[in-house]
Amino acid sequence: MQAALMRTRIAIVGAGPAGLMLAHLLYLRGIDAVVLERRSQEYVERRVRAGVLEHPTVELLREAGVADRLDREGMPHHGLSLRFDGEDHRIALADLTGRSITVYGQQEVVKDLIAARRKTGEPLHFEVSDVAIDVDAPAVTFTDAEGKPQRLDCDFVVGCDGSHGVSRASMPAATYAHEYPFAWLGVLAKAPPSHSELIYTYHERGFALHSMRSPEITRLYLQVPPDERLDDWSDGRIWDELGRRLAASGFTLSTGPILEKSITTMRSVVTEPMRHGRLFLAGDAAHIVPPTGAKGMNLAIADVRVLAEALERYFASGSTDLLDAYSDTCLRRVWRAEHFSWWMTSMLHQAPDADAFQRRLQLSQLRYVATSTAAATSLAENYVGL
């Protein structure tokens, strides 16, 4: 069957936060785009991922007119706690930086952006398959949800389809990667948060994190070995281990039915450059960070903000200066986030081969951050977003 021909300025592969946000920013600038996604809309909207939005991310969502529900339901946080030696040590984000973070699930951002896209009536195709990128044309070929072959000619292709997507595979670039010797067992529980803020916990049994998604839903994590089996973790065992690691004076862990649980391995990956000809990468297609620093979705949003401005300049004046600078501009932020995430991860997790000397170094670093205004400010300004 001969492919049907379509034409757009920007072909966007992937309907995660990066792809959907870019499409919306381009729409606001009068630049047409088509978004292609291999998963169903239901799957994309239910996919539980990150939940911490940096200050610049929240500001951009507001500027773009897609923050109404975020402002109603998001949970602003002006600080976080480092918990070690059985005590909390608060990092006063707002006092130290004048900015804060907001807890609002990535899937909620995705829902809001899909709703905005549907409202505009601009093309958004789910359940496509056989996606292939012709970088030289440029063009994207795919099979639509009805099984019909399609060819989408365009001026530029933007790959927002993750580290295992077709976009990254179409990019002849260098990859820098680091594997961490542990994973996170994450649970979503129907239980009210046990604390008003996020708690990053250093414990001899391994790292633990207390977070939340709403006043009724808690998000919690445990450090586990990367080859751990989810079947070995009953709900009772999860709550028992969380209770041990999160124990502190005056703290009571709220428990309830576990709605979801998963194990996620931890790695750092950076692709350089983030551009090849008329193909650009954004978000997880270009870089992966361990979740400790809460940077993944925020980096994706930062990428497409830079790219939207560059594309606007190009179509308005023909100037390629911002497009040519895109990779270098984004990578400066990416490597800062990679270092911060590595630093947070190294400070808080128990490496399997760590000896007593290394553990004492970790505690020394934690105590320094907790008692030094300069060290706390460095953590805070990286955490709320540069």
Side-chain angles (χ1 to χ4, degrees):
M1 185 184 300
Q2 187 172 2
L5 300 179
M6 297 188 293
R7 170 74 193 174
T8 188
R9 284 184 169 179
I10 313 297
I12 300 173
V13 183
L20 291 167
M21 190 69 200
L22 177 60
H24 189 67
L25 293 174
L26 294 177
Y27 170 78
L28 295 176
R29 290 163 167 79
I31 301 170
D32 60 287
V34 174
V35 183
L36 307 174
E37 169 58 49
R38 69 184 183 92
R39 301 284 194 173
S40 68
Q41 179 174 338
E42 180 183 15
Y43 178 92
V44 170
E45 290 185 338
R46 295 182 62 182
R47 182 168 48 191
V48 176
R49 290 292 187 270
V52 173
L53 305 187
E54 294 178 350
H55 181 86
T57 299
V58 173
E59 290 301 298
L60 181 60
L61 291 168
R62 287 174 178 153
E63 291 169 14
V66 288
D68 288 350
R69 195 161 67 93
L70 164 63
D71 286 333
R72 291 196 309 270
E73 301 177 14
M75 304 173 71
H77 286 261
H78 303 287
L80 60 83
S81 286
L82 296 179
R83 181 172 290 180
F84 58 93
D85 292 337
E87 295 182 0
D88 280 337
H89 307 266
R90 187 172 188 267
I91 305 298
L93 302 174
D95 291 345
L96 292 166
T97 68
R99 293 176 291 170
S100 59
I101 55 99
T102 301
V103 172
Y104 188 68
Q106 175 175 310
Q107 73 273 23
E108 305 306 323
V109 174
V110 166
K111 289 176 188 175
D112 296 340
L113 290 170
I114 289 175
R117 187 71 176 172
R118 295 299 194 200
K119 189 175 181 180
T120 67
E122 295 296 303
L124 172 55
H125 300 278
F126 288 98
E127 299 181 77
V128 306
S129 58
D130 306 316
V131 178
I133 298 172
D134 182 341
V135 179
D136 296 325
V140 180
T141 58
F142 64 97
T143 302
D144 66 19
E146 297 177 354
K148 300 176 182 177
Q150 305 280 353
R151 177 184 171 93
L152 178 61
D153 290 307
C154 54
D155 295 305
F156 298 98
V157 179
V158 183
C160 304
D161 52 342
S163 60
H164 300 296
V166 66
S167 302
R168 172 63 190 88
S170 304
M171 178 78 74
T175 298
Y176 302 88
H178 177 71
E179 298 289 334
Y180 294 84
F182 27 73
W184 276 13
L185 167 60
V187 301
L188 200 66
K190 189 174 182 180
S194 308
H195 194 277
S196 60
E197 295 178 336
L198 282 75
I199 307 171
Y200 285 80
T201 303
Y202 174 89
H203 192 274
E204 62 183 9
R205 295 176 65 88
F207 169 78
L209 172 61
H210 167 277
S211 184
M212 64 285 291
R213 288 295 179 270
S214 76
E216 298 82 29
I217 302 294
T218 304
R219 185 73 164 151
L220 302 133
Y221 298 93
L222 288 167
Q223 175 189 342
V224 296
D227 57 354
E228 195 79 351
R229 286 167 28 94
L230 197 58
D231 290 344
D232 292 337
W233 285 86
S234 66
D235 291 5
R237 183 186 177 193
I238 290 171
W239 286 121
D240 286 346
E241 190 62 24
L242 284 166
R244 291 188 190 97
R245 298 191 195 180
L246 290 170
S249 177
F251 176 81
T252 301
L253 178 64
S254 299
T255 63
I258 292 180
L259 307 175
E260 296 182 20
K261 53 185 172 181
S262 61
I263 292 179
T264 303
T265 57
M266 300 177 68
R267 60 194 177 117
S268 293
V269 180
V270 179
T271 297
E272 288 192 21
M274 292 168 56
R275 175 191 183 182
H276 173 60
R278 289 179 175 258
L279 169 62
F280 294 82
L281 299 184
D284 286 359
H287 39 72
I288 300 289
V289 291
T292 323
K295 294 293 163 221
M297 177 173 59
N298 294 293
L299 278 180
I301 298 297
D303 286 348
V304 298
R305 182 175 198 160
V306 173
L307 187 54
E309 292 173 356
L311 290 168
E312 181 181 30
R313 171 81 68 88
Y314 173 79
F315 286 114
S317 67
S319 173
T320 64
D321 59 340
L322 295 183
L323 287 174
D324 293 339
Y326 168 74
S327 185
D328 288 342
T329 300
C330 291
L331 284 170
R332 283 194 293 271
R333 180 188 296 268
V334 168
W335 279 112
R336 174 86 297 275
E338 290 285 0
H339 180 269
F340 176 68
S341 299
W342 166 84
W343 176 76
M344 286 278 286
T345 302
S346 302
M347 180 173 64
L348 289 162
H349 289 71
Q350 295 285 355
D353 59 350
D355 56 24
F357 178 83
Q358 291 169 297
R359 293 190 180 97
R360 280 163 174 76
L361 288 180
Q362 288 176 300
L363 283 168
S364 176
Q365 180 66 51
L366 283 162
R367 289 167 185 148
Y368 176 59
V369 172
T371 57
S372 164
T373 300
T377 301
S378 178
L379 187 157
E381 69 178 9
N382 279 274
Y383 198 83
V384 302
L386 297 170

